Amino acid sequence: MDREEVISVKEISKSFRTYKKEAGLLNTLKSIFRRNWIRKRVLHNISFEVYKGEIFGILGPNGAGKSTLIKILSGILYPDEGFAKVLGYIPWKDRKKLSKHVGIIFGQKSQLFWDLPAIDSFELLKDIYGIPEKEYERNLRVMVELLDAKEIIRKPVRTLSLGERMKCELTASLLHNPKLVFLDEPTIGLDILAKESIRKFIRKIAKRRKTTFILTTHDMKDVEELCERCIILDKGLQIFLGKVEDLKKYFWGRKVLTIKYEDKINIPKIKGLKVLKAEKYKIRLEVDTKQVKIKSVLQKIFSPNVIDIEIQSLDLEEVLKRIYRKRW
Amino acid sequence: MVAFRIIKNLAKSRLAYKFEFFGNLIFSILWILLLVVIWQAVFLFSNLESIEGFTFHDLIFYYIIIQLIRHGLDVDISYRVEQLVRYGNFVSFLLKPISFPIFCFLDDLSEKLVNIFLKILPTFLVFVLIFGLPPSTLTSFLFGIISVIFAYLLMVLIDFMLSTLIFFTKSSHGIFDVFQTGLHLIDGILFPLIFFPEKVYSILLYLPFPYLTFFPTLVFLNKADFLNVLGFQVVWILLFFPLSFFLWHLSLKRIEGAGV
Amino acid sequence: MKREIVVLWKFFRLRLEEDMVYRLNFILLLSSFIIYDLFGPVLMVVVYHVSEGFPNWSFWEVLVLQASAIIVEELWFLFGSRVLFELEQNITSGRFDIYLIRPLSPLFLLFSSSCFPYGLFTLFVGVFILGYALPHLNITLISFLFYLLFLCSGFLFLISLTILFSSISVFVVKNKPLRDTIFTLITYGKYPTNIFPKLLRLIFTFILPISLIAYFPAKVILGKLFGFLTLLPFLISLLFFAFSLLSWKVAIERYSSAGG
């Protein structure tokens, strides 16, 4: 089945002109007269597509360029080079038109009135987006039911817990039935239960309404549970683009052995066995089970000196850690 | 000794705001210039030499000095208390080995000391450069300074008493806003209080407010009897001192009873 | 257009509800604003009590001037006074971007969301003083109608100034000096332009037309403004408005290139 392309990004690059600020009174005075302008490259040659109804992840360490990319896609920023089409619009050219079909959640930055119940903010958004009354009522009812937020929306926002507030923010961003929603760190700071209910909600909406979601997050569970495909950025460069499954498979079959011992231990040199970290009485090994079986490794290592063994598979977090640190 | 250490530390953190001063200086000057223009037109049009003992020249310096005093005296205790109560640190203060009122006072004092050198003196110098030296003698100048010190103590007490109101009303800064603004009508910053119609002026003399900024300014300008002014200030201070203790005691009871 | 009006009304209602959550605080704050409005009139009462006042302005005429200034200032208070402050907060917190991704003009959203309901109530102080002074003067209906029109152009000028400063704010972010500048300009505008030296008079009429705030409206209602001069202030305020919108457009353009 041919999937409809909702976002198309081709070789987007962006740099910022910033100046180097050095400490000290003399330098501060100097900087009034002359500034040391340097060009900081924030995005370089980014290309990818996003399809209708999918939940697409944008991952990367802090400063990787994730927010810049989101700002370009939503039209707030325009790139130095490259081309992008979002829902058929060039975002920075037709920002107003695009905004009718886009919803956005900026993590910590709330769109709601603090002292009033969320429902008041919803009513205001209804007018800002010009949502017809019936459609507004229907949307609200559906989402409130899915999020179990009937009581929450009538309480002042400042009295809500972080999880409850996020439910309101999600509702607010979806009221006008956008085709595309940007979620910038939506689960940050939430407890496990809240995270799960939000993930469930996003999955449902994506499925039912074929809403496309772009998700930036640091939470690996978010990625594992929600995203089919993702892009990984680091220092403005595109490191990975593809299915999350493939990412895991690349490291599939690798396990981490953590062994605690006393006195001495003998680590044989086998193909597929790598020492990750060696401390006085603790050692971490990586085993590529495609090359050598765990059983053989254990047989060769095990001795009366071994006190404890822990076997873990490489989870997505570990995978990404390596990608960030370039230790593949 | 503890007091000195506290003052030193708080003063250090105030120095970080030294660049704020520049903006305020300009607007102070602009405000005074406006008053100069207004009164110049008035004196000229009505062909007056002086109003209630103030020549035009006197009046300019009146405004300069009263501005300096008002900004120097700007006591922030109420604001601090509000911040502490709102953000809940207040209770931890009660557990520390220093009395809260004394801490507030020292905190404010440190700010004033820094202010004098960073704000008041430079501002005064700039005004002198623009307008010349004020018509005061050495004695009136020194007496003026003493007046201001007592005015400061009086202001601290008044502000502290207002602060205790925080514990009795939920949302506090409305009271201070009304108080501050209302005070400006009768503290002499708009015009010398003596310009008021007689009846109004005579009522004001029974209140503590003219002794905060108006009379100290007159002392500087050698237009009021120093001892007379001092006498009134002391009377008000003696009156408010026990009163503020009493109110503080009541507030503590309230906190212990109801929690903050 | 209809959508904008509905949104503006909604914002106003919601802000009013928000402000009224703490009832006591609302009343107290409102009172402090009302007292503040009285500074100018009280100063005028005192000036006319001790002298003949300003050339070409009788006491009642000067009250009309003050009342006009209050009305225009409070209208601006309602619709523009918080814009610069909110803009600073929004840019530093990153929330400004949210304004850019809505299907309505960011400038419009900025102004609507910054509306300050207190202005609607304090407006009546000006209306009251106007109503108090007008019976003492000869006013024609025509001059009153033109008066209303001129008040609008004064208001438009303040809004334009706010937009212009907002544009600057987008880059500078910390805009307290800009806020203080508007405040100072308004204060200067409360007094008859004819008391200022010639150069300032020209600036305040043609370049930075603060005389639109109160001087021209008052002159119109008092029947002192005729002919071509009647139209000139209008044109100036419209030009200024157009210029300010242009500056905003440039500012947003640069913001979209330079990032938040």
Side-chain angles (χ1 to χ4, degrees), chain C residues 1 3 27 39 43 64 75 78 103 113 122 134 137 147 160 174 201 207 213 225 228 239 251 255:
Chain C
M1 196 59 213
R3 194 149 53 115
I27 296 176
F39 284 178
L43 179 61
V64 168
L75 266 177
L78 175 62
S113 64
T122 49
L134 280 185
L137 301 160
Y147 174 68
S160 311
K174 301 268 177 172
R201 241 185 291 164
I207 302 178
I213 296 172
L225 203 60
F228 172 63
L239 277 171
Y255 183 81

Side-chain angles (χ1 to χ4, degrees), chain B:
Chain B
M1 255 15 251
V2 178
F4 275 122
R5 238 183 294 144
I6 293 180
I7 296 183
K8 207 171 80 171
N9 282 328
L10 292 168
K12 260 199 212 156
S13 60
R14 302 252 179 259
L15 284 175
Y17 295 98
K18 58 180 176 274
F19 289 118
E20 221 182 59
F21 139 80
F22 188 64
N24 291 332
L25 175 60
I26 295 186
F27 293 111
S28 292
I29 295 179
L30 288 174
W31 168 242
I32 303 241
L33 286 176
L34 178 62
L35 289 166
V36 165
V37 167
I38 291 175
W39 285 107
Q40 188 172 55
V42 167
F43 270 84
L44 225 60
F45 185 58
S46 300
N47 220 344
L48 295 166
E49 279 296 325
S50 72
I51 302 176
E52 300 284 354
F54 283 86
T55 65
F56 176 62
H57 194 238
D58 286 338
L59 205 49
I60 299 178
F61 285 104
Y62 168 82
Y63 280 120
I64 292 174
I65 294 174
I66 204 168
Q67 273 270 306
L68 286 171
I69 297 180
R70 192 71 185 92
H71 283 173
L73 272 196
D74 220 347
V75 174
D76 264 342
I77 291 183
S78 45
Y79 177 71
R80 283 190 194 83
V81 174
E82 186 200 346
Q83 290 293 305
L84 284 175
V85 169
R86 256 198 178 178
Y87 299 111
N89 308 341
F90 177 71
V91 184
S92 67
F93 261 107
L94 293 177
L95 301 170
K96 290 219 173 89
I98 187 167
S99 149
F100 181 70
I102 302 211
F103 177 81
C104 283
F105 173 58
L106 291 176
D107 189 17
D108 194 74
L109 188 61
S110 75
E111 184 187 353
K112 295 294 163 286
L113 290 174
V114 171
N115 262 356
I116 292 177
F117 291 103
L118 248 42
K119 267 176 153 180
I120 307 293
L121 278 180
T123 313
F124 180 63
L125 284 170
V126 173
F127 279 133
V128 166
L129 280 170
I130 302 178
F131 296 103
L133 281 171
S136 43
T137 64
L138 188 62
T139 26
S140 68
F141 191 77
L142 290 170
F143 283 160
I145 293 183
I146 300 176
S147 272
V148 169
I149 294 177
F150 275 85
Y152 171 65
L153 293 173
L154 186 56
M155 189 71 209
V156 164
L157 285 173
I158 295 177
D159 205 52
F160 186 72
M161 287 193 297
L162 274 182
S163 309
T164 56
L165 282 177
I166 295 181
F167 303 114
F168 297 102
T169 64
K170 278 243 176 95
S171 185
S172 46
H173 67 93
I175 300 179
F176 305 120
D177 290 324
V178 179
F179 177 73
Q180 288 281 345
T181 324
L183 189 60
H184 280 320
L185 272 178
I186 54 171
D187 64 1
I189 208 165
L190 288 178
F191 46 81
L193 296 181
I194 204 163
F195 288 9
F196 265 126
E198 277 230 32
K199 287 195 202 124
V200 179
Y201 184 60
S202 47
I203 295 177
L204 285 179
L205 288 177
Y206 284 100
L207 300 171
F209 308 118
Y211 298 96
L212 292 171
T213 41
F214 177 61
F215 279 114
T217 309
L218 291 191
V219 170
F220 267 108
L221 294 173
N222 220 353
K223 286 192 186 298
D225 180 21
F226 166 62
L227 286 173
N228 201 349
V229 171
L230 191 65
F232 274 100
Q233 287 177 322
V234 168
V235 165
W236 283 109
I237 291 177
L238 288 177
L239 205 69
F240 285 154
F241 204 68
L243 188 59
S244 46
F245 255 101
F246 175 63
L247 285 173
W248 172 241
H249 186 68
L250 277 181
S251 325
L252 273 183
K253 279 250 139 74
R254 185 134 207 277
I255 298 166
E256 287 159 11
V260 181

Side-chain angles (χ1 to χ4, degrees), chain A residues 287-312:
Chain A
V287 179
D288 184 0
T289 59
K290 289 178 266 173
Q291 296 184 53
V292 60
K293 286 205 180 4
I294 289 277
K295 196 166 88 171
S296 346
V297 172
L298 284 177
Q299 278 172 337
K300 295 210 168 85
I301 289 180
F302 200 79
S303 79
N305 286 342
V306 171
I307 304 175
D308 187 51
I309 304 179
E310 214 175 289
I311 307 179
Q312 289 162 314

Side-chain angles (χ1 to χ4, degrees), chain A residues 90-101:
Chain A
I90 299 177
W92 52 91
K93 291 225 164 87
D94 293 310
R95 183 172 61 216
K96 238 195 199 164
K97 288 194 208 144
L98 175 63
S99 62
K100 291 200 191 108
H101 309 287

